Amino acid sequence: MNFRHVAGFAVASALALYGPGAAAMVSPAAPTGANDTVNVKAEPNITGVWERYPSPFPEDSDGFDDVQPPGDGPDLEEPYASQWKAQRAKRAAALKAGTPLVDPSTQCLPEGMPTIMQAIYPIQILQTPGQITVLAEIFMQTRRIYLDTPFPKPDDLAPTYTGFSSAHWKGDTLVIETRGVREDVEFFEIPHSDAMTITEHYRLIADDMLQADISIKDPGYLKTPYNFTWVYKRNDNYQIPEYVCDNRLDVINPDGTVSFDIQ
């Protein structure tokens, strides 16, 4: 006897015993969860290779050292504001003189947060259950963003280049908060404390355009949050190659400048 026969027999028995009103009591119920996902909107698909749009390089640029801090720069407290401006002026003068100052890139060090998201070279975003992974071409950096994951306790949050990132979807927007970035990891040489937090809001503004609204907060260093926006364009035709940092041609001089030993 199959299920239909069993169900029919149960209904017939109920009618015989209790009358027509009993049929509703024994009618087969709709499968649990049948309509649970009808009104659930799928998360936007941000998987792909992305490059900055427009290009972060000035039209006459010959290298990423020409890229400037976004917006009007940070609103720093003193004495950090004066120190930062002096350092930026020193770096610009050294670059103009053809003797650039040493920086993390010339030492083959990871860019860290939020510089990795600047995408001087393209980045690849992989969207998987429970995690968003960012693979940067430059230095082959990896950033892991954990979805709906609580932050470790402060004593357990070891400082790292990219920090610890926890995210959640708010409608069609991916909201990410990052803490625990090493204090020696500086975005355009902007100093920060171990209390710095970086909040990012990502949303698709077109099928192939991704906008990131970024806010950096750091009481004691920043008077006001440092807010800026980056836009990325999806490039389905680009395959990120291996990028091995080889600084054999970089010579770091005693005065902190860099030259190239090209033979």
Side-chain angles (χ1 to χ4, degrees), residues 162-195:
T162 56
F164 187 97
S165 296
S166 179
H168 65 275
W169 285 98
K170 187 175 182 180
D172 62 356
T173 300
L174 179 66
V175 182
I176 310 171
E177 183 174 331
T178 299
R179 308 175 194 168
V181 176
R182 290 170 46 143
E183 291 182 59
D184 61 344
V185 174
E186 295 180 341
F187 176 55
F188 285 101
E189 302 183 283
I190 301 169
H192 70 88
S193 71
D194 60 0

Side-chain angles (χ1 to χ4, degrees), residues 196-216:
M196 179 182 71
T197 61
I198 304 168
T199 303
E200 304 156 89
H201 289 75
Y202 290 86
R203 64 184 181 90
L204 289 171
I205 55 176
D207 289 342
D208 62 346
M209 301 290 286
L210 180 66
Q211 178 172 305
D213 296 312
I214 301 171
S215 180
I216 303 174

Side-chain angles (χ1 to χ4, degrees), residues 6-20:
V6 172
F9 178 76
V11 172
S13 299
L15 286 170
L17 291 173
Y18 303 108

Side-chain angles (χ1 to χ4, degrees), residues 17-252:
L17 291 173
Y18 303 108
M25 296 169 53
V26 295
S27 296
T32 301
N35 297 317
D36 288 354
T37 60
V38 171
N39 296 319
V40 176
K41 187 175 181 180
E43 297 168 354
N45 179 17
I46 60 173
T47 289
V49 174
W50 300 90
E51 54 191 8
R52 280 283 300 285
Y53 182 84
S55 170
F57 295 101
E59 291 185 3
D60 58 349
S61 170
D62 58 2
F64 61 81
D65 283 327
D66 292 325
V67 177
Q68 298 299 307
D72 297 326
D75 183 18
L76 286 162
E77 299 274 7
E78 290 291 357
Y80 309 114
S82 297
Q83 294 170 353
W84 181 72
K85 290 176 182 177
Q87 176 62 20
R88 295 300 296 173
K90 179 180 178 181
R91 181 169 295 280
L95 183 62
K96 185 177 181 180
T99 55
L101 300 180
V102 64
D103 61 18
S105 67
T106 56
Q107 297 175 299
C108 291
L109 294 174
E111 296 174 298
M113 272 294 292
T115 312
I116 186 175
M117 302 308 300
Q118 184 174 222
I120 292 298
Y121 289 76
I123 57 174
Q124 183 175 21
I125 298 177
L126 302 177
Q127 187 174 348
T128 54
Q131 181 172 315
I132 305 288
T133 306
V134 178
L135 304 174
E137 176 176 334
I138 189 169
F139 306 140
M140 295 192 294
Q141 300 170 93
T142 300
R143 179 191 180 196
R144 296 175 179 86
I145 302 162
Y146 303 105
L147 292 169
D148 303 312
T149 301
F151 281 93
K153 295 179 180 179
D155 291 344
D156 297 331
L157 186 58
T160 58
Y161 284 94
T162 56
F164 187 97
S165 296
S166 179
H168 65 275
W169 285 98
K170 187 175 182 180
D172 62 356
T173 300
L174 179 66
V175 182
I176 310 171
E177 183 174 331
T178 299
R179 308 175 194 168
V181 176
R182 290 170 46 143
E183 291 182 59
D184 61 344
V185 174
E186 295 180 341
F187 176 55
F188 285 101
E189 302 183 283
I190 301 169
H192 70 88
S193 71
D194 60 0
M196 179 182 71
T197 61
I198 304 168
T199 303
E200 304 156 89
H201 289 75
Y202 290 86
R203 64 184 181 90
L204 289 171
I205 55 176
D207 289 342
D208 62 346
M209 301 290 286
L210 180 66
Q211 178 172 305
D213 296 312
I214 301 171
S215 180
I216 303 174
K217 297 180 180 179
D218 191 7
Y221 278 76
L222 289 170
K223 291 181 183 178
T224 57
Y226 186 15
N227 301 325
F228 52 90
T229 297
W230 284 329
V231 175
Y232 311 87
K233 186 176 179 63
R234 198 194 303 262
N235 188 343
D236 293 330
N237 297 318
Y238 188 77
Q239 292 183 322
I240 291 182
E242 182 178 274
Y243 185 114
V244 177
C245 185
D246 186 347
N247 65 352
R248 289 177 302 165
L249 301 180
D250 295 354
V251 177
I252 301 175

